[in-house]
Amino acid sequence: MKILVCISSVPDTTAKINFTGDGKAFDKNGVQFVINPHDEFSLTRAVQLQETQGAKVTVLTVGDATVEPVMRKALAIGADDAIRVNADARDGLFVATQIAKVAKEGGYDLVLTGRESIDYNGGEVPGFVAGILDYAFVNGCVGLNVDGNAVEAVREIDGGKETISAQFPVVIAGQKGLVDETELRIPNMRGIMAARTKPLNVVEAEQTSSKLNVVGYTKPAERGNVTLIDKDNVGELVRLLHEEAKVI
Amino acid sequence: MAILVYAESAADGKYKKAAFEAVSYAKSIAAQSGDTVTAVAINASESSDSLYKYGADKVLKVSNDALKNFSPNAYAKVLSDLKDGDTIVLPATNDASSFAPLLALKTDATLVTNLISAPENVSPFTAERRAFSGKGIEKVEVSEGAKVLTVLQNAFGLKENPSSGTEETANVSVSEADSKVKVVKVEQASTDKIDLKEAEIVVSGGRGLKGPENWGMIEELASLLGAATASSKPVADIGWRPHSEHVGQTGKAIAPKLYIAIGISGAIQHLAGVNSSKTIVVINSDAEAPFFKAADYGIVGDAFEIVPKLIEEVKKFKGA
Ligand SMILES: Cc1cc2nc3c(=O)[nH]c(=O)nc-3n(C[C@H](O)[C@H](O)[C@H](O)COP(=O)(O)OP(=O)(O)OC[C@H]3O[C@@H](n4cnc5c(N)ncnc54)[C@H](O)[C@@H]3O)c2cc1C
Ligand SMILES: Nc1ncnc2c1ncn2[C@@H]1O[C@H](COP(=O)(O)O)[C@@H](O)[C@H]1O
């Protein structure tokens, strides 16, 4: 079984988000980058399948050289090797086109991604990859088992869960729940040492055209000052919510 | 030409609020472009009147057993087969977000996800979408050609715009084979619970509530207000509440009219998922809790004292 885990490198969840002076781009200054949290669940599941079922796990990022430290972290967590497609991750379709090419040429059985990247929040890449390759697709996956060529995946639905079966090759977009929070791994010293010598291959990107342009970024409006209500006057809150905020 | 809208329905056959929001959004484009609005309903049982109310000129009813369970591939095929214009609008629900990229590929369209406001311009299509987990807003433009758009829930909202619509039955050819995936088991809890993403009011609890046994008052307050319940991440991680209730950057992002946070500190990752709420109320025993800086109304005090009082006050208000 060959698994391709697609990892996006995103600003740390505690990062303050700022845009460049002209409002045209995200300002990376002083921002720490981490593995997209949703992707960590997929990566961990892949490493578990490597340990229990002998899967070979490759991590893939479309990005410039600055994403390599984040990729090394994925290697330290246990991936066997890594591929970086050398390009600026411009938009969802562009990224998916690169991933699809690697997935097809490398003959991967399972393509694991996260449900969405927490930076641009597209939630587009996994569906695009499945569409380009005409593979089966399960989004928002919270449980995954593999038996031979058969995949059993669980996904959250309104007020419940749905179990889905499919055959290789499959694209699975994971999220929290795919593995337990406590199963997520922090790289240990041995892993970090091993990661230094694991292969990280760089390949060039396939060019595509796009009709989607970013005009610019703004920040959401700030909230006004909080109105504090005395704890012995809770009725006042109800009155304000009704008469002032008009939400009840 | 017609703007096609996917009018998503729930397991009980009723349209989701997100369907009406998508129709409202399509209508706002149509008003500028001169198109009509056609809603596609898959296995819905509710009358089309509710879709006309938000501006659907036509409703295409699709009934097909092969579509009983959701499959991204099959649903994308249906919408693609029914399209007759260059714009398709979908709600940004789980299901529709899953098939949106497939649909964009099939129809050779540009995909724009998570739109939050009416387009500034329809040609070229220019509009704002949510980015950076709500910490930023991205304005994008589709220079030309077809587009598939998804509309964030509780963002653009509902806009009534009655039309004298007509209904037609649409025949589509889909088979089990189009699905690629097979649903083997469905475990549905009660369907009468209010969906967190759709809820107008959300009552949420954090670690300050000390244990799962204390959620009774949260649920009581929620039920009085017709609200959904939510939680902070650690509360879901320790298993006090189901993962499906976890809101924040790594859980669900929500934008209700009213968000009531009880015993939640207001960490930046939590705020990212709830800061689009219209009004935020914070109840916390620590006056220094960061959440007060992101709130509209706050009460400093012990939740175990305040929430029961609040329940009484809401009862009085509702009774009045
Ligand atoms: C990668 C990453 C992603 C994350 N994603 C999310 C996310 O999506 N969502 C999320 O919520 N968190 C997320 N977190 C966690 C986040 O950083 C905080 O740890 C978490 O939100 C804190 O939860 P809490 O407010 O319930 O608990 P605490 O921080 O422990 O706060 C409890 C609060 O309750 C108050 N309190 C205590 N007793 C009472 C009482 N009797 N009455 C009233 N108030 C009381 C306290 O004053 C305190 O403010 C993430 C963290 C990381 C590292
Ligand atoms: N630049 C990238 N390189 C590799 N994988 C990516 C990249 N961007 C997104 N992905 C994957 O696609 C998922 C969804 O991302 P998005 O569509 O950007 O929200 C992420 O969770 C990643 O698994």
Side-chain angles (χ1 to χ4, degrees), chain A residues 9 41-42 55 77 87 90 112 129 132 144 160 169 177-178 190 193-194 215 222:
Chain A
S9 158
F41 292 94
S42 293
I77 286 171
R90 203 179 57 227
L112 291 185
V129 173
I132 293 168
L144 172 67
L178 181 50
R190 226 178 85 214
M193 295 304 285
V215 180
E222 298 265 339

Side-chain angles (χ1 to χ4, degrees), chain A residues 111-148:
Chain A
V111 180
L112 291 185
T113 74
R115 185 193 71 201
E116 68 169 17
S117 348
I118 61 161
D119 50 2
Y120 295 91
N121 302 116
E124 304 173 5
V125 168
F128 272 139
V129 173
I132 293 168
L133 296 172
D134 201 24
Y135 288 2
F137 175 42
V138 179
N139 199 12
C141 181
V142 293
L144 172 67
N145 284 306
V146 180
D147 182 6

Side-chain angles (χ1 to χ4, degrees), chain B residues 3-319:
Chain B
I3 297 170
L4 208 64
V5 188
Y6 171 50
E8 185 166 328
S9 48
D12 61 4
K14 294 223 173 70
Y15 294 113
K16 294 189 175 181
K17 189 171 105 193
F20 304 136
E21 292 178 329
V23 171
S24 302
Y25 195 87
K27 189 69 183 177
S28 81
I29 303 176
Q32 292 184 58
S33 66
D35 292 309
T36 58
V37 174
T38 298
V40 177
I42 299 178
N43 293 337
S45 54
E46 187 178 339
S47 138
S48 297
D49 290 346
S50 49
L51 296 172
Y52 303 149
K53 186 165 131 195
Y54 296 99
D57 299 294
K58 187 154 84 178
V59 175
L60 293 177
K61 287 267 198 183
V62 175
S63 321
N64 191 315
D65 273 347
L67 299 168
K68 206 170 143 274
N69 288 312
F70 175 72
S71 138
N73 303 72
Y75 274 53
K77 180 169 190 299
V78 171
L79 272 290
S80 148
D81 286 352
L82 295 175
K83 140 182 163 122
D84 111 77
D86 67 0
T87 306
I88 305 181
V89 178
L90 313 174
T93 53
N94 260 341
D95 285 1
S97 298
S98 301
F99 74 77
L102 302 169
L103 179 59
L105 287 171
K106 271 187 192 298
T107 55
D108 199 16
T110 300
L111 175 63
V112 187
T113 56
N114 299 328
L115 288 159
I116 55 173
S117 55
E120 180 181 299
N121 199 344
V122 290
S123 175
F125 180 84
T126 313
E128 289 179 330
R129 59 182 296 279
R130 174 187 154 92
F132 294 96
S133 307
K135 297 176 196 170
I137 295 168
E138 181 182 54
K139 190 190 279 185
V140 295
E141 175 195 278
V142 180
S143 58
E144 53 163 345
K147 51 208 170 294
V148 169
L149 313 171
T150 77
V151 183
L152 203 67
Q153 287 161 273
N154 277 347
F156 176 75
L158 296 171
K159 308 261 174 346
E160 286 189 23
N161 217 325
S163 74
S164 52
T166 54
E167 184 181 296
E168 279 175 30
T169 306
N171 287 312
V172 291
S173 64
V174 273
S175 65
E176 301 275 334
D178 288 314
S179 287
K180 289 192 186 296
V181 292
K182 203 168 148 203
V183 174
V184 290
K185 194 165 84 187
V186 177
E187 294 158 81
Q188 197 113 31
S190 63
T191 45
D192 54 344
K193 263 201 116 178
I194 296 161
D195 185 64
L196 184 50
K197 298 272 278 194
E198 300 227 304
E200 302 263 328
I201 303 179
V202 174
V203 180
S204 187
R207 211 149 45 180
L209 288 171
K210 312 280 191 282
E213 67 281 5
N214 297 325
W215 246 262
M217 61 181 188
I218 301 292
E219 288 187 327
E220 186 179 358
L221 179 60
S223 107
L224 280 170
L225 291 167
T229 50
S231 83
S232 68
K233 176 173 181 283
V235 161
D237 290 346
I238 18 181
W240 294 357
R241 300 297 292 177
H243 284 307
S244 54
E245 283 197 0
H246 157 199
V247 293
Q249 190 157 20
T250 51
K252 289 194 169 75
I254 55 170
K257 271 194 327 202
L258 174 59
Y259 182 72
I260 304 179
I262 302 166
I264 302 177
S265 59
I268 187 163
Q269 299 99 341
H270 185 85
L271 296 179
V274 304
N275 61 4
S276 304
S277 309
K278 186 167 166 265
T279 299
I280 294 180
V281 172
V282 169
I283 298 170
N284 195 304
S285 51
D286 175 8
E288 302 298 318
F291 220 147
F292 285 115
K293 291 202 177 65
D296 299 289
Y297 301 101
I299 301 182
V300 179
D302 184 349
F304 297 99
E305 200 182 298
I306 290 159
V307 177
K309 281 193 201 161
L310 185 54
I311 288 171
E312 288 318 306
E313 292 296 337
V314 172
K315 276 187 186 156
K316 266 196 244 161
F317 167 73
K318 293 279 175 185

Side-chain angles (χ1 to χ4, degrees), chain A residues 14-34:
Chain A
T14 57
K16 291 242 161 24
I17 300 298
N18 290 307
F19 301 105
T20 53
D22 60 1
K24 293 282 185 213
F26 165 54
D27 184 357
K28 294 184 177 176
N29 245 317
V31 173
Q32 282 265 31
F33 283 81
V34 297

Side-chain angles (χ1 to χ4, degrees), chain A residues 125-220:
Chain A
V125 168
F128 272 139
V129 173
I132 293 168
L133 296 172
D134 201 24
Y135 288 2
F137 175 42
V138 179
N139 199 12
C141 181
V142 293
L144 172 67
N145 284 306
V146 180
D147 182 6
N149 289 335
V151 171
E152 193 178 81
V154 181
R155 116 183 145 97
E156 205 183 291
I157 54 171
D158 297 335
K161 280 179 180 171
E162 188 177 83
T163 308
I164 294 161
S165 73
Q167 297 290 316
F168 284 162
V170 191
V171 178
I172 305 253
Q175 63 178 33
K176 184 184 170 202
L178 181 50
V179 299
D180 209 65
E181 191 81 17
T182 53
E183 294 174 278
L184 292 178
R185 299 171 188 210
I186 297 155
N188 57 24
M189 199 34 92
R190 226 178 85 214
I192 293 168
M193 295 304 285
R196 286 192 187 156
T197 53
K198 285 180 180 173
L200 194 165
N201 300 310
V202 180
V203 300
E204 285 311 313
E206 178 147 320
Q207 287 318 311
T208 63
S209 67
S210 170
K211 294 177 188 127
L212 188 66
N213 309 316
V214 173
V215 180
Y217 296 92
T218 47
K219 289 213 197 186

